[in-house]
Amino acid sequence: KCDTFVSHAWFESFLGFVEDIRKFYKDFDTRVFWICFAANPQTWLKEELTLLLGPSALQSPFYIALQQCQTFLVVRNTARNLYTRLWCVTELALVKAYTTNTVHVIGKMPPFAKESGSDIGLNATCSAPEDVALLQQTIRVAGVDVNELVAQAIRARSGSSLASGNTTACKCACQ
């Protein structure tokens, strides 16, 4: 069982990424993290990875991990606004809609990062264009104001927490 689900944008240096997390968690060495680049087989063929991710984001390894972790950590970086990536937006929407996890925010945003726009929040993009409709539908079904959540995460000071997730949420949206 993991302690912390880590959401990130793939644009940070690996060493800086690890150091940001290490500085935030005093119990870093004993904490169990779920990080997509370490958990998902990134070298699989596209078809195999699509099968693993499933027909719904609510059946994906991302969602299963969110359900098992007690905390959700947003690792921002100065190279790119992570909320221009639709998977990051979806992770934030799911944690808020379907868990009571604490959301911690660390790292710095890029200079002049926008809180909204044609490429942020629900309008973000994916490296796999076929994921866009699936993820946008998942966000809509979650019923959260994802663009406001994204703005909160962008405005948050490094080391701060966002309000807890849905306190009435069941532990599985599929129930």
Side-chain angles (χ1 to χ4, degrees):
K1 191 162 182 158
C2 69
D3 299 307
T4 303
F5 184 103
V6 180
S7 185
H8 69 105
W10 287 95
F11 286 88
E12 60 277 328
S13 78
F14 180 75
L15 293 177
F17 172 76
V18 171
E19 190 56 31
D20 282 347
I21 297 170
R22 182 181 295 278
K23 281 192 259 184
F24 185 73
Y25 286 110
K26 302 218 182 315
D27 62 346
F28 176 86
D29 292 335
T30 59
R31 187 168 278 272
V32 178
F33 297 95
W34 193 92
I35 305 169
C36 65
F37 69 73
N40 286 334
Q42 304 296 324
T43 59
W44 280 14
L45 295 173
K46 181 178 175 181
E47 297 78 22
E48 293 172 325
L49 193 53
T50 298
L51 282 174
L52 174 70
L53 294 176
S56 165
L58 297 178
Q59 296 171 331
S60 70
F62 291 86
Y63 183 73
I64 294 166
L66 277 173
Q67 293 296 309
Q68 294 181 7
C69 294
Q70 291 86 39
T71 59
F72 181 85
L73 181 65
V74 175
V75 181
R76 302 179 301 188
N77 69 82
T78 58
R80 183 168 179 188
N81 179 347
L82 75 160
Y83 294 113
T84 61
R85 299 191 69 243
L86 195 54
W87 272 103
C88 294
V89 174
T90 304
E91 291 164 359
L92 185 61
L94 292 177
V95 78
K96 287 304 214 166
Y98 300 120
T99 77
T100 57
N101 294 358
T102 301
V103 176
H104 299 291
V105 180
I106 64 172
K108 295 178 182 174
M109 291 297 293
F112 311 109
K114 301 178 297 182
E115 293 178 14
S116 63
S118 61
D119 64 341
I120 297 172
L122 196 56
N123 297 318
T125 60
C126 295
S127 56
E130 62 274 11
D131 288 351
V132 173
L134 168 83
L135 296 178
Q136 287 175 337
Q137 179 61 22
T138 300
I139 292 167
R140 287 184 188 101
V141 168
V144 297
D145 183 350
V146 74
N147 290 328
E148 177 54 31
L149 287 174
V150 164
Q152 288 174 21
I154 291 170
R155 286 191 303 261
R157 284 189 345 258
S158 183
S160 66
S161 299
L162 302 180
S164 293
N166 184 351
T167 57
T168 61
C170 63
K171 283 313 247 179
C172 177
C174 307
Q175 294 177 349

